């Protein structure tokens, strides 16, 4: 906000500031799900009576009240829409930007699973867009680093083998296989004609060693 614009804002009587803000919040009848008409009405409640307040500044005020209202940061807006007209921060550009943010919120939440700690809303989508744009402008490479780490994590999870799965595989491999014949019976030579067991040769060898 420039110096001249700041002076305009500060020139607004406190009573008008308070009443305009209350009317703007009241215009958002369903703060958790704000329709485009409600958003436009709320923005106008701030921009019309107040000096030095445009849609961008008004959106910052509304974003504090409701997480369904994205702040109109230049970085987020330009990453989603093409500017129409000479002024980026006009009402038409904001409403086009708002519609795109709502689409992203719906899309992102449709890909999250149950129990996912991240639930997307207009506020954190705007912050994510701003962060991605600043990362690109400053050449920090944080987004690429995050994507690489995420890929490595997913790859590591795929390599983890569940012990229960191993048991299932072993069970499946054994199906249809005949068990190996084990020579558990003793040789007939180990028994005498009367059925009494003869001493094995190794037993005799042991006795000879003792002598």
């Amino acid at each position: 906000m420039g110096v001249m614009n700041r002076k305009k804002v500060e020139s607004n009587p406190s009573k008008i500031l308070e009443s305009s803000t209350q009317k703007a919040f009241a215009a958002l009848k369903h703060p958790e799900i704000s329709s485009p008409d409600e958003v436009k009405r709320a923005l106008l409640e701030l921009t019309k009576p107040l000096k030095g307040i445009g849609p961008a500044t008004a959106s910052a005020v509304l974003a504090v009240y409701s997480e369904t209202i994205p702040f109109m940061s230049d970085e987020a807006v330009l990453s989603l829409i093409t500017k129409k007209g000479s002024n980026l921060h006009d009402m038409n550009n904001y409403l086009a930007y708002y519609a795109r943010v709502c689409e992203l919120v719906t899309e992102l939440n449709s890909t999250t699973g149950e129990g996912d700690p991240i639930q997307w809303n207009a506020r954190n989508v705007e912050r994510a867009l701003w962060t991605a744009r600043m990362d690109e402008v400053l050449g920090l490479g944080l987004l690429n680093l995050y994507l690489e780490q995420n890929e490595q994590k997913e790859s590591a999870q795929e390599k983890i083998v569940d012990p229960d799965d191993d048991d299932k595989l072993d069970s499946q491999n054994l199906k249809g296989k005949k068990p190996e014949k084990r020579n558990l019976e003793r040789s007939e030579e180990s028994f005498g004609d009367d059925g009494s067991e003869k001493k094995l040769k190794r037993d005799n060898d042991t006795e000879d060693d003792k002598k």
Side-chain angles (χ1 to χ4, degrees):
M1 186 181 292
V3 176
M4 292 298 295
N5 207 42
R6 185 183 295 276
K7 288 182 178 180
K8 288 182 180 180
V9 173
E10 292 175 349
S11 69
N12 289 300
S14 58
K15 287 186 177 181
I16 296 179
L17 281 170
E18 185 176 346
S19 63
S20 297
T21 303
Q22 289 176 346
K23 290 177 182 179
F25 291 166
L28 300 174
K29 297 178 182 179
H30 306 92
E32 66 283 357
I33 305 175
S34 301
S35 69
D37 288 340
E38 288 179 352
V39 173
K40 183 177 181 179
R41 194 177 305 115
L43 290 170
L44 290 174
E45 290 291 355
L46 293 170
T47 57
K48 276 192 171 183
L50 299 175
K51 298 177 183 178
I53 301 295
T57 304
S59 72
V61 175
L62 295 177
V64 175
Y65 176 70
S66 171
E67 61 185 16
T68 64
I69 308 298
F71 169 54
M72 194 181 193
S73 63
D74 292 0
E75 294 78 12
V77 173
L78 292 174
S79 66
L80 292 182
I81 67 168
T82 301
K83 182 179 73 171
K84 295 180 180 179
S86 58
N87 182 14
L88 174 65
H89 306 108
D90 65 14
M91 185 66 73
N92 290 332
N93 282 326
Y94 182 83
L95 293 176
Y97 160 67
Y98 175 76
R100 286 288 293 117
V101 169
C102 289
E103 290 174 2
L104 280 176
V105 170
T106 301
E107 181 181 344
L108 290 168
N109 282 330
S110 68
T111 61
T112 56
E114 292 184 7
D116 196 306
I118 298 177
Q119 290 299 314
W120 292 95
N121 55 52
R123 183 186 296 166
N124 52 30
V125 164
E126 182 275 324
R127 290 175 179 175
L129 291 169
W130 182 90
T131 302
R133 178 58 179 161
M134 293 306 297
D135 177 58
E136 180 183 354
V137 171
L138 298 176
L140 301 176
L142 296 177
L143 181 58
N144 290 332
L145 179 61
Y146 168 78
L147 294 175
E148 289 174 4
Q149 290 178 341
N150 198 44
E151 287 179 1
Q152 292 174 359
K153 183 179 179 181
E154 290 179 354
S155 178
Q157 288 176 342
E158 289 176 358
K159 291 179 180 179
I160 297 175
V161 179
D162 190 341
D164 292 338
D165 292 339
D166 278 348
D167 293 340
K168 291 176 183 177
L169 288 173
D170 291 341
S171 176
Q172 291 173 357
N173 291 334
L174 287 174
K175 285 181 179 179
K177 262 190 177 182
K178 294 182 179 180
E180 295 180 3
K181 186 176 181 181
R182 296 181 180 178
N183 188 18
L184 299 177
E185 296 90 359
R186 296 192 179 184
S187 171
E188 292 180 359
E189 295 179 355
S190 300
F191 298 86
D193 295 335
D194 58 355
S196 61
E197 187 177 1
K198 293 180 178 180
K199 288 186 177 180
L200 298 177
K201 185 177 182 301
R202 62 174 177 272
D203 294 331
N204 293 332
D205 292 342
T206 303
E207 292 296 329
D208 291 341
D209 293 340
K210 289 181 179 178
K211 292 176 180 180

